[in-house]
Amino acid sequence: MKCGNCGSTIPDNSIICRVCGEPVVSRLSDSDLIMCPYCGERNPRGVNICSNCGHTVEIPREKPHPEPKDQQQRPPRQNPSNKNAKGRKKRRPRYKPQFIIAVCFLLALIIGIIILIASVSKRVEPVTDVIQAFTSSDGKNVNFITGGKTIGSAEGSVASSAVSSDRNIKAVLTDNNMLYYVTKKSVVKVTDNAISFILSEDGSSIAYTMKNVDKDATATDESESETDKAETKTTADDDKSSSAAEVDPFSLLLNKTDNSLFLYDSEKGLSTLIANNVSDNSVALSSNGDTVAFSTASEDENSFKCSISTGGIVSDLGRNAIVAAVSDNAEYIYYLKFERYTDGDIIKLFAKHGSDEIKLAEFAALSELKIYTNRDMSEIIYGTNGIEGNFFSSKKAAAKKKLSNGFNFICPPDKNVTQCGLAAICPVDSFSTKFFTDSSSALYIMNSSFSPTLVSSEVKDVMTNKKGDKLFYLDGNEYLYKSSIKRLGKAEKLSDHAVRFTITPDGEKIYYINGDSELHCIMNDTDNLIAKKVYNSASSNNLRMSSDGTLYFLTDYSYGSGILSYCKNGKESIEIKDATDVHDVITDMSENIYYRSDYSAVTGTFDLYYGKNSKFKLIYEDIK
């Protein structure tokens, strides 16, 4: 390029001529020049100092260059209905109704599944393979079996036993005073010098009495001398003989005994001494075994004191009293107060809940007292005139209500009523919606207000399915009925000539024997004849149901034995091979059963088999 001042050739884009030193301006366009605001000199763009006056030249801000048309963003399309709605916020798109319904349905389904899983997880698992006890032919040992396998054995023969409400735990006292704690895995000897015992409802603890020991001692499994065993056995025999005779209970409680009370904790495998000189028939145990009540006679034997031990802490309840039933942590206490008068003794029954206390009954004979409680003992049903007398109910130590004449609790399937002292603990959370019969064999159901509702005026047998929503009963006219628990007033007659019946666990099949000894099955509203000449005895229920719904029964029964058959589909029966001399059948609360064969009426022995359907194996020979 040429300098506009001297005409010399200079490099392109030069700002100052290197020959004459003057700014190169001639060749620059107006757009490439900027005017100095102080002297008016025109300076090339990019020069910060004016070449004429030396002041700073202000550089104007450049205008942004427009983007190419193909890169420009298109303005958003406006809804024609909103052309005039300037400044209005953009609305969120609306969801279609079908989408909302689908989402709601999905949420409801998820919630339902969660509730179902929670309910199933809380549901008690079915009892299977209960513990069976059989005595050897010589009477020297007791063999404990579950699931067809031997758990262990105990010395002697069974004198008394108790089973937990779920039938998974057993306590056994032998005739030589040995006390055993039996589970499905082991047989533990608690003591070899026991006199009496009580098993807790859940099977976790045993309260037992034995000959007095030192006050600060703790029981162990160490063996005692033969002399001590002999003395204890003699004492136990004397106690049995004295209890057999009708003795004044007040006088028995006043007698100072040499019995010590122990509490066995199965989890720790340890027995703890609770008290010495404990009166006979004065011990009560709570459902979970943490609380035990007892009475001890005074030194002068003019009175006796009632005490309650909870977690090792002992508290006194009063004089001349015994506890009939006590709940966990002694929240509910039902106790008897004895009062002696010249014309006879008076016994008063009290209910205690915290600071609340109420008298429920007053009577004369302790032997006439019958008490039933629910699991936590907040509810009590009792009678003071024997099993056929008037029965009353009380809830949470409230005023009593007349219930019925006589009371016989209908226990749920696979459960067991546990005796924990003078009271029978029923394996239910509440008596509400539970069935019972009165002294005239009338069937009732308890409503939520603790009042009975009549179901049938006379029944011979009652059953419910495992779920508890179906009721089956045989009335006094030998009519067999089926009813929904929710619609008890609309029972369906299944047969007008049934003498005995049983049902599958789900209640879908009903087997019954008619007066002609014929076995029938009612299924899907169809009555099928299964077998003839079926054994039916009033003293022995021949119909045995396994947990999978298989029925076992005996036919051609004579001279103490018959042929064992089974029915699985409700349509036909199958005879079991080599099971032709079967005495009876024992259910195992599982898919399997036991049957006793080759029974000898002379020795009282038999062979024991175990299995299901047509597959059985010999377990023991010649046992009792």
Side-chain angles (χ1 to χ4, degrees), residues 3 58 97 182 299 435 493 605:
C3 174
E58 185 179 356
V182 187
E299 291 293 334
F435 294 94
K493 184 193 292 186
T605 60

Side-chain angles (χ1 to χ4, degrees), residues 364-376:
L366 183 61
S367 60
E368 297 295 306
L369 177 65
K370 305 295 178 184
I371 295 179
Y372 300 86
T373 71
N374 63 332
R375 187 176 282 112
D376 67 2

Side-chain angles (χ1 to χ4, degrees), residues 155 169 282 537 543 573:
E155 298 179 24
I169 296 172
S282 68
S537 172
L543 302 180
S573 63

Side-chain angles (χ1 to χ4, degrees), residues 480 494 508-510 512 520-527:
L480 180 59
L494 301 177
E508 296 300 321
K509 299 185 186 72
I510 305 97
Y512 72 91
H520 290 252
C521 177
I522 300 175
M523 178 179 61
N524 298 327
D525 298 327
T526 302
D527 193 324

Side-chain angles (χ1 to χ4, degrees), residues 203-399:
S204 62
S205 304
I206 303 177
Y208 65 93
T209 58
M210 58 182 291
K211 187 178 178 180
N212 264 356
V213 297
D214 295 336
K215 188 174 182 180
D216 297 329
T218 299
T220 64
D221 292 337
E222 296 180 359
S223 301
E224 299 180 51
S225 66
E226 295 298 326
T227 304
D228 290 340
K229 292 181 182 179
E231 290 178 355
T232 303
K233 190 175 190 312
T234 303
T235 304
D237 292 339
D238 292 341
D239 290 341
K240 292 176 184 177
S241 60
S242 63
S243 62
E246 292 187 4
V247 183
D248 176 19
F250 201 149
S251 299
L252 286 177
L253 292 167
L254 289 173
N255 293 334
K256 186 178 179 180
T257 69
D258 59 352
N259 299 337
S260 294
L261 175 64
F262 286 84
L263 185 63
Y264 174 74
D265 186 337
S266 63
E267 184 176 353
K268 298 178 180 179
L270 181 68
S271 293
T272 304
L273 176 64
I274 302 299
N276 286 317
N277 308 116
V278 175
S279 301
D280 291 326
N281 302 319
S282 68
V283 180
L285 188 62
S286 65
S287 294
N288 68 359
D290 73 340
T291 302
V292 59
F294 58 93
S295 296
T296 55
S298 61
E299 291 293 334
D300 57 8
E301 296 189 346
N302 289 324
S303 64
F304 52 91
K305 180 180 67 173
C306 182
S307 304
I308 298 177
S309 174
T310 300
I313 301 175
V314 180
S315 59
D316 294 336
L317 184 62
R319 290 281 177 180
N320 294 341
I322 64 172
V323 172
V326 59
S327 70
D328 302 336
N329 299 316
E331 182 180 2
Y332 294 94
I333 304 172
Y334 302 95
Y335 69 95
L336 304 174
K337 187 80 172 179
F338 290 79
E339 297 179 1
R340 173 152 285 182
Y341 299 95
T342 56
D343 57 346
D345 298 337
I346 295 296
I347 306 173
K348 297 178 180 179
L349 173 62
F350 291 87
K352 182 178 176 63
H353 178 212
S355 60
D356 298 332
E357 184 171 312
I358 186 173
K359 185 176 79 171
L360 297 178
E362 188 173 308
F363 55 101
L366 183 61
S367 60
E368 297 295 306
L369 177 65
K370 305 295 178 184
I371 295 179
Y372 300 86
T373 71
N374 63 332
R375 187 176 282 112
D376 67 2
M377 297 191 184
S378 61
E379 302 171 358
I380 181 175
I381 295 174
Y382 66 94
T384 57
N385 293 310
I387 195 66
E388 295 185 354
N390 291 331
F391 274 76
F392 301 86
S393 65
S394 174
K395 188 173 183 179
K396 294 184 178 181

